[in-house]
Amino acid sequence: MSLAWLEGAEREGRLRPLDRHFALQLLALAERVDGTAGLAHPRSSPPAGDGRTALALAAALVSRTTGEGHVCLDLCAAAGRAPFGDSVPGLQAPELEQWREALRASGVVGAPGESAPLVLDSRDRLYLARYWHFEHDLAAALRERASGWAAGVDRVRLAADLRRLFPARDGVLGRADEIDWQAVAAALAVLRRLTVISGGPGTGKTRTVAAVLALLASQAMGGASAGARAGAEAGAGAVGRQPRVALAAPTGKAAARLAESVRRAREDLPLSQTERSALPEEATTLHRLLGARPGRPGFRHDAGSPLHLDLLVVDEASMVDLPLLARTVAALPARARLVLLGDRDQLASVEAGAVLGEVCGRGVHPGYSPELAQTLGEVLGVGAGQLPSSADPGRPAVADALVFLRRSYRFGRDSGIGALAARVNAGDTAGVLALLKAARARDPLEADGLRHRTLEEGERVAQVERLVVPRLRAVLEASGPAEALAALGSFRVLCALREGPWGVAAFNELVERALRRAGLVPRDRDAYRGRPVMVTRNDYATGLFNGDVGVFWPDAGAGGALRVFFPAAGGGLRALLPTRLPAHETVYAMTVHKSQGSELDEVLLVLPDRLSPVLTRELLYTAVTRARASVEIWGPEATVAAAVAARVERTSGLRDALWSDAPPA
């Protein structure tokens, strides 16, 4: 069969130019193999006929699926099917056995551990070689970390500090329904080298991190004499070296929020002066932490040049893709602790992988090892049998790293937002629709936190003027850029799509026109006081990153000339000349994906009037849980129902490597 189908699939939008190019390059490489050293399965002749089609199709599909966020191609799912439907008539993937043999004979597809551009594993998962290495290396590193204790922990001191930082409710910490899972997470993070803390919004993840930092600061003082410790507590400084700590997140926005959350928690916790001073003031992006080099591949820090850290905390771990997390873990010293924070139920990363969800398995804890359960019980004052435990020899090591925070302090499960989030997460379509029906019937003045409108396209203008314009007035009429940014952070329009009449681009134009009609925005200028913008590309020269939000505002120090103000690391603002602003867009509205890492008082969620593959349970849950006080949803019931029923499924072998294929702990 000719390869004209490659051009046809690209023309129909079923393949990217990159996918077609990769397939042709791999075919050309296969034709040059002919026994070349370093490639798996050398042959005496190049593939021909059906063999060329089988290889080209596999290469194009694995390239495409990786671009869609998958880590690999499941040959079992693709075999024997028309990969592009009616777009490319007459093209059908080979049956599994035939396809597998054709790939193994190609000379450019190897088994795990062999040197080849593509890797085919024993479960018929086909990888780009670098992604197989990322997955394999990360799984091995996480298993090793999950099985090891942190060195030098004073468990007596830890127990006393835990009682101080997590006072027991009614004198009871350990009844099954009273276990303080924040305390469990904090204890685990001190005792072990890997801790994965998953919880929904408001479950206290960053408060737990602040407690961990305080506990480690206290541990650093543990070897000092009583007199020296007393002097340190009096303000003379900690005795001995305090741990080297880094707080990081995948985006600048998430990093800033992490730093602010830790600063707030520091004031709320009963800490000594030494403990309080040991908590870091700033957080950074993972790219900046690893030492990204503009225009050059890789990072400054890797396994050969590791980070100088004793503890790394990564927030919003659900947003971290497989390559980035693999590189982060590789750059972390073996002795250092690693804490991953996130919500496994949120949207997965834009790039390949759904690492946090796969590390968390199916979200049901199989129980800690008996040794760990006993140790946790001792430092927490929990009686035997109160913590989940399992002596199953097949229990994976990663189970000893997991804590699921279950209690939300932001909103109850029976509140409008809490109830909706719980039902969305459970895939309860009927329950979700019942909540929305009740919200539509309720008096709008009733403060229940949830409203819904089945909005027609012709109603958008009136509703934007009703809901959006009054809330943005506080931004545009603010007394200064700090106040404008604070107002901008209290309300946001979130869209499921980028394009189309219900997408971000159209909605930003709709809002801006409404603001002009209200006299809040000048009609003749694109740059104006109060215009909010979001950076859309990392720019290391300015220190701005994809997702950072700023606002145009007159700068009194520059004679009233417009500058773009962004939150600065450590608090305050930094001003930038508009001409130095990296790629950006107006951000009265943003996609749900871009909102990850944000906390808002009010959210308006705009859903399209027709179905889209983007609409998933994870997207709806992520949007709803950005809000602290209220959510208003615009969109047909059918769209909501479809989103609740659809789940994000990323093809990967990481979950199997951690939970099924892993050697016993």
Side-chain angles (χ1 to χ4, degrees), residues 586-603:
T586 302
V587 69
Y588 293 115
M590 66 170 55
T591 63
V592 177
H593 281 83
K594 289 288 190 182
S595 75
Q596 292 187 98
S598 299
E599 289 185 5
L600 305 156
D601 292 331
E602 299 178 281
V603 163

Side-chain angles (χ1 to χ4, degrees), residues 90-108:
L91 180 66
Q92 184 169 316
E95 296 298 331
L96 179 61
E97 183 64 28
Q98 178 189 359
W99 206 0
R100 185 193 297 134
E101 291 306 312
L103 294 178
R104 287 175 173 169
S106 70
V108 293

Side-chain angles (χ1 to χ4, degrees), residues 249-331:
T251 68
K253 177 174 60 179
R257 192 173 69 83
L258 171 61
E260 177 59 30
S261 297
V262 170
R263 286 194 291 267
R264 289 199 304 267
R266 178 177 59 189
E267 302 307 314
D268 294 338
L269 287 167
L271 304 181
S272 69
Q273 185 57 42
T274 299
E275 292 166 341
R276 202 177 302 278
S277 63
L279 269 64
E281 291 282 337
E282 298 181 8
T284 186
T285 65
L286 286 170
H287 285 84
R288 188 180 295 169
L289 175 73
L290 293 174
R293 300 174 292 187
R296 300 174 61 186
F299 295 100
R300 188 168 63 253
H301 292 289
D302 54 22
S305 180
L307 296 160
H308 299 294
L309 292 176
D310 301 301
L311 168 67
L312 172 61
V313 177
V314 179
D315 196 16
E316 298 293 347
S318 65
M319 299 170 61
V320 184
D321 58 72
L322 172 68
L324 183 55
L325 188 60
R327 287 172 167 140
T328 300
V329 174

Side-chain angles (χ1 to χ4, degrees), residues 328-620:
T328 300
V329 174
L332 196 62
R335 56 174 170 69
R337 294 173 173 87
L338 173 64
V339 177
L340 301 178
L341 301 176
D343 185 349
R344 62 183 175 86
D345 298 313
Q346 279 189 198
L347 283 164
S349 60
V350 175
E351 304 298 330
V355 178
L356 182 65
E358 292 172 336
V359 171
C360 292
R362 299 298 177 185
V364 178
H365 201 294
Y368 298 114
S369 64
E371 181 185 10
L372 178 57
Q374 180 178 345
T375 301
L376 286 171
E378 291 170 355
V379 298
L380 292 167
V382 175
Q386 296 303 306
L387 288 168
S389 175
S390 171
D392 181 357
R395 186 191 56 82
V398 72
D400 278 351
L402 300 183
V403 181
F404 299 122
L405 302 183
R406 302 155 189 195
R407 178 180 177 185
S408 175
Y409 297 88
R410 183 182 301 177
F411 42 73
R413 291 178 64 87
D414 293 331
S415 72
I417 299 173
L420 181 62
R423 286 163 175 77
V424 169
N425 218 0
D428 180 5
T429 303
V432 169
L433 295 181
L435 283 173
L436 297 185
K437 181 179 179 181
R440 292 194 303 273
R442 195 174 295 118
D443 187 325
L445 296 178
E446 294 181 13
D448 64 336
L450 179 62
R451 289 178 288 278
H452 177 231
R453 293 179 182 272
T454 56
L455 203 63
E456 300 293 334
E457 188 171 346
E459 301 177 79
R460 290 185 304 170
V461 172
Q463 293 302 326
V464 164
E465 292 177 346
R466 175 194 68 85
L467 179 68
V468 180
V469 169
R471 284 161 175 79
L472 292 178
R473 185 180 291 275
V475 177
L476 298 162
E477 296 181 345
S479 60
E483 184 179 323
L485 285 169
L488 189 66
S490 69
F491 169 79
R492 188 67 50 82
V493 179
L494 304 182
C495 299
L497 307 179
R498 280 203 59 83
E499 305 300 332
W502 299 95
V504 164
F507 219 86
N508 274 317
E509 291 180 8
L510 182 68
V511 171
E512 202 160 40
R513 287 198 300 269
L515 293 170
R516 288 194 171 103
R517 286 194 300 272
L520 296 170
V521 167
R523 296 179 178 273
D524 56 347
R525 295 199 303 273
D526 292 329
Y528 53 83
R529 173 179 132 160
R531 180 195 172 200
V533 292
M534 181 172 63
V535 175
T536 58
R537 187 180 304 156
N538 292 343
D539 186 89
Y540 295 94
T542 59
L544 294 173
F545 295 88
N546 189 0
D548 287 350
V549 173
V551 63
F552 278 76
W553 207 266
D555 186 355
L562 281 178
R563 299 288 186 264
V564 190
F565 288 83
F566 289 88
L573 298 177
R574 53 177 298 210
L576 194 73
L577 285 168
T579 54
R580 295 193 64 207
L581 193 61
H584 61 280
E585 61 188 19
T586 302
V587 69
Y588 293 115
M590 66 170 55
T591 63
V592 177
H593 281 83
K594 289 288 190 182
S595 75
Q596 292 187 98
S598 299
E599 289 185 5
L600 305 156
D601 292 331
E602 299 178 281
V603 163
L604 169 61
L605 173 61
V606 179
L607 300 176
D609 58 355
R610 55 186 59 87
L611 302 186
S612 166
V614 172
L615 295 170
T616 63
R617 185 182 308 174
E618 290 82 1
L619 180 138
L620 191 56

Side-chain angles (χ1 to χ4, degrees), residues 12-26:
E12 295 295 325
R14 305 304 295 271
L15 291 176
R16 302 170 299 171
L18 174 66
D19 306 328
R20 181 178 67 86
H21 180 73
F22 178 73
L24 294 174
Q25 289 290 100
L26 204 66

Side-chain angles (χ1 to χ4, degrees), residues 104-180:
R104 287 175 173 169
S106 70
V108 293
V109 180
E114 295 180 331
S115 178
L118 297 180
V119 174
L120 181 63
D121 73 5
S122 61
R123 298 194 180 188
D124 295 310
R125 291 180 292 227
L126 184 66
Y127 295 80
L128 298 174
R130 65 183 182 277
Y131 281 90
W132 181 85
H133 283 289
F134 285 138
E135 186 178 276
H136 173 271
D137 294 350
L138 179 62
L142 293 179
R143 288 198 302 265
E144 194 278 328
R145 285 184 176 277
S147 61
W149 295 89
V153 177
D154 182 341
R155 295 182 181 181
V156 174
R157 188 176 185 90
L158 175 60
D161 288 336
L162 285 166
R163 286 193 295 273
R164 171 170 56 90
L165 296 178
F166 299 95
R169 302 188 196 98
D170 301 323
V172 178
L173 185 64
R175 277 199 326 264
D177 61 345
E178 291 288 338
I179 293 176
D180 190 333

